[in-house]
Every structure is written in structure tokens, then in C-alpha cells.
Amino acid sequence: MTTAPASRITASDLPALQRRTSSVLIGSQILGGLGVAIGIALAPVLAAEVSGSEALSGLAPTASVAGTALLSLPLAALMASRGRRPGLVLAYLIGALGACLVVTATVVDSFPLLLLGMAGFGAGSSANLQARFAAADLAEPDRRGRAISTVIWATTIGSVLGPNIAAPAGRAFRGTAVPETAGPFAWAAGIFLLTGLLVAALLRPDPLLTARALAPQDSGSAANRSLRAGIAAVRASPMARLALVTIAVSHTVMVSIMVMTPVHLGHHGADIQLIGLVISVHIAGMYAFSPVMGRLADKAGRLPVIGLSAGLLCCAAVLAGTSGGGHARTAAGLFVLGLGWSAGLVGGSALLTESVPQAARAAAQGLSDLTMNTAAGIGGAVAGVIVSGLGYGWLNAIAACLLLPSAVLALRRAVGGPADRTEDA
């Protein structure tokens, strides 16, 4: 199917183009989610094996989060100037390279190379996160929450499947120089390459460039689309600041608890298959119910969904933090943790998108991903130290305390009203 360039698209073409764009993004999210999940489930275990220290086990997923954060601004700058497609393709290619470095690091037993590879691997997550904003580029304002949540939901298929096929993927390398725990990363490299090819071939015309072509009065100059303009737009809007805090805090709480749960389960006798099952339950909570969160965000409003996120994350911390050796309670806590993250990401992303001018959106969205992943990277690194010194229960208690800022801001904004929100078509 051929498509017209962005400059020739008219408003009447939008419904069909939005459906096509969503279909391509859903396909890329299924594959991209599989690529990330097949490797990340065993990253802490792999780090402990290569480093020889359990206290350093949290650094592998943390390096992935850090890589996602560091790449957020360059990718946002590329998207702001050239559109979504080049940025997404480059991110998947970097993710594939990172996965290859992880495999190499396990073969040569190099922990620094492993961390470098995990940082590159994080580009796959960056692409998956940015895809939610690509889904909103052409969506009507009253359907942005659902557009974002549909693409997030698509990640469910690959992300739930990934941890459960990690063990078979590893066994495929039995008898070779590649350790079984590193085998899933070799598969991830191929999956990322396939995903990049899909986006490069089918995400045409570019949704961001099309949105700008349809709203030339808001597009502005290149300077108005710069990262500096994106930062200024967020600073100028209280609602955008609330959205940024919500996304960052919910992601930090989720990552900090999630990355140390495999270690906690291992302390209580869980094997790799059980760990994979618990992580799958968690990922199902993250993605499977995102359409519900999107509908709530569109119908009830962004602020109630942000409040729901804080409540769910607090409940998750209580469940997981008091689980002890109860694997079922830990799994329940991780499922609720995923639900809280979903509500925060969908509600916060929709609020951010509509709270800044169209010209500055890509830059503001890149700033959002930088902030959320930098905060989560710090949280993941500190989580390993907390669990090593104080225990898993204390980690959950501290994570719950992080929710206070976003909860207070959401309450203040709900009482004050959304008068400062930027409304646009």
C-alpha cells in the first residue's frame, strides 16, 4: 500500500491514516516488547554471575534504564527535526547492538562490557516508550488516552511471552560458548533488527511530520521545536510539570521494586521458571489493562487516573513488602505494581501531550523520558544497596514514600481546576 507524503495529507485522510499508523505501531510494540522482555527478566541474574556479587545485580537493569535515559534526548532531537520513523529505527538498531555486546561480555567475562551492552540494550525500551507518543500524534484530543493506551497494550503480547521463553531461548545455546543466561540476548538482537525493519518500511507517512503539516500555524520554526523550547514549554505549564512528575515517580517506584524482586524470590527458593512467571504477571499488569486506563483518562479525566496510580502503587508496595517468602503475595504485589505504573504512564503521557504546544511536543516528550529513566536508573541502583543492607520490605516502604509529591500535586491541581491546561485540536 502506498501512502501520500505528509504535505499532501488532508483532514479527511486522518481516520484511515491513524488506523494504519496504529497498526504499524502495534506490530512494532509486540516485537519490541518481546525483545526487551526476553532479556531483561534474567539481567539481574546475569549480572550477579558475571560480577560475582549479588550487591551489583541491580546494576544490569539499572544500566539499561540509564541507557534509555541517555538516549532519550538525542532521539527526541532527531524526531523533532526529522520525524518519528528515523528516531525509532535508530533506537532499535542501537538496542540490537547492545544485546550483542551483552552476549560478548558474558563470553569474555567482562562486567564493564556487560553494563555498556545493557545501556545500549535500553534503546529498545526507549523506542517502545516513544511509540506511545507517536500514537497520539494524529489522535483527536478526546481520544489521546485511548490511542496511547492501545499501543502500550500491544506490548503485553511480547512482554508476557518474553520472560517465559527466556529459558528455552537460553537452552538453544547449550553446548556453545554462550552461557544459557545470555542466550536470550542473542534472540533479542535479532528481534530488534526485525522491528527496526518493520518501522522503516511501514511507518509512512511519518505521524509527527503529518501532524505538523496539518497544523502549520502551530509548527513554528526549527528553534521552536528545539529541546530548549520543550523545556521552556514544560516549565510554563503547571499541568505539564505535574505530568512529568507523575511519569517519573510512577516509573521509578515500579523499576526500583521490579528489578530486585527476582533477587528476593531467589532468596526464598524460587527457580528461574517461577521468577519468569512472576515477572510475566507483573508485565501483564503493566500493559494488559492499559486500554482501561486510557478510557478512564479520556472519560473521567487525567487527574483522577493520576490519583488512581498513586493509590495502586502504594497498595503494591504494601503487598510486596510484606510478602516474606510468600510467592503468591509477591506476584499479587507485582501485578498491582504494574497496574499503578500503567495508570501513571497513560494519564501522565496524555496530560503532557495536551499541556504543551504542538511545536514543542516531541522535545517535551523526550524530556519526559529522560527524566523518568534517569530517576528510575538512580532508583534501581539504590534499590540493590537497600535490599542488601536493609531488606526487600524496606525497599517497598521507601518506594511508597516517593509517591507523596505526585499525589499532593495532583490533589492541588484537582482542587485548583485545569484552567492552565493547553487545549488544542
Side-chain angles (χ1 to χ4, degrees):
M1 175 180 176
T2 59
T3 56
S7 58
R8 289 196 202 163
I9 299 294
T10 64
S12 62
D13 299 322
L14 275 182
L17 180 56
Q18 174 67 359
R19 288 192 296 271
R20 173 186 168 85
T21 299
S22 294
S23 297
V24 175
L25 292 172
I26 286 170
S28 71
Q29 287 296 92
I30 292 173
L31 288 173
L34 177 62
V36 171
I38 197 174
I40 205 67
L42 294 180
V45 178
L46 189 62
E49 289 180 358
V50 175
S51 68
S53 172
E54 187 178 277
L56 299 178
S57 61
L59 289 183
T62 299
S64 177
V65 173
T68 304
L70 290 173
L71 287 164
S72 296
L73 287 185
L75 289 172
L78 178 60
M79 291 181 191
S81 62
R82 300 188 59 186
R84 300 289 186 191
R85 187 166 58 91
L88 292 175
V89 171
L90 178 61
Y92 284 124
L93 292 179
I94 295 174
L97 176 61
C100 291
L101 288 179
V102 169
V103 175
T104 303
T106 59
V107 173
V108 301
D109 201 29
S110 171
F111 189 60
L113 185 60
L114 173 69
L115 296 183
L116 178 62
M118 288 302 303
F121 183 80
S125 294
S126 185
N128 290 345
L129 288 171
Q130 282 289 322
R132 76 191 192 276
F133 291 124
D137 286 334
L138 299 175
E140 293 294 329
D142 62 349
R143 296 188 63 88
R144 283 193 185 121
R146 276 168 281 189
I148 291 170
S149 64
T150 298
V151 171
I152 294 175
W153 170 86
T155 314
T156 308
I157 300 172
S159 295
V160 172
L161 183 62
N164 288 290
I165 66 172
R171 286 196 294 270
F173 289 87
R174 186 173 292 173
T176 70
V178 177
E180 289 189 32
T181 47
F185 284 93
W187 284 76
I191 292 169
F192 283 153
L193 287 174
L194 179 60
T195 309
L197 179 61
L198 172 71
V199 173
L202 299 181
L203 193 63
R204 300 170 183 268
D206 191 281
L208 180 59
L209 299 183
T210 302
R212 286 181 181 161
L214 291 172
Q217 70 275 14
D218 293 326
S219 297
S221 65
N224 291 332
R225 299 194 295 265
S226 69
L227 295 175
R228 182 177 297 177
I231 294 172
V234 171
R235 290 180 62 186
S237 170
M239 282 296 186
R241 295 199 299 271
L242 169 59
L244 201 66
V245 170
T246 296
I247 294 170
V249 170
S250 60
H251 193 59
T252 300
V253 170
M254 185 277 290
V255 169
S256 299
I257 296 174
M258 183 269 291
V259 297
M260 295 312 300
T261 297
V263 176
H264 168 72
L265 289 169
H267 284 162
H268 294 280
D271 58 16
I272 289 179
Q273 287 188 327
L274 179 56
I275 291 172
L277 178 61
V278 171
I279 296 301
S280 292
V281 169
H282 166 63
I283 293 173
M286 290 174 65
Y287 300 117
F289 294 89
S290 58
V292 176
M293 303 304 177
R295 183 168 291 274
L296 282 174
D298 286 339
K299 297 296 185 181
R302 318 309 190 202
L303 296 180
V305 172
I306 288 173
L308 175 64
S309 171
L312 288 171
L313 290 170
C314 279
C315 289
V318 171
L319 282 171
T322 59
S323 63
H327 296 155
R329 191 179 181 92
T330 302
L334 266 286
F335 175 72
V336 178
L337 183 73
L339 289 178
W341 176 87
S342 180
L345 189 71
V346 171
S349 298
L351 182 60
L352 178 66
T353 297
E354 67 192 14
S355 297
V356 296
Q358 214 285 338
R361 277 181 190 165
Q365 291 159 352
L367 175 65
S368 168
D369 284 354
L370 169 67
T371 304
M372 69 184 277
N373 287 295
T374 299
I378 295 172
V382 174
V385 177
I386 293 174
V387 170
S388 180
L390 299 175
Y392 185 69
W394 273 102
L395 170 65
N396 283 270
I398 294 170
C401 292
L402 295 177
L403 297 166
L404 289 175
S406 59
V408 170
L409 282 173
L411 180 61
R412 288 181 59 188
R413 285 291 136 204
V415 172
D420 57 346
R421 193 168 100 188
T422 298
E423 297 290 351
D424 67 331

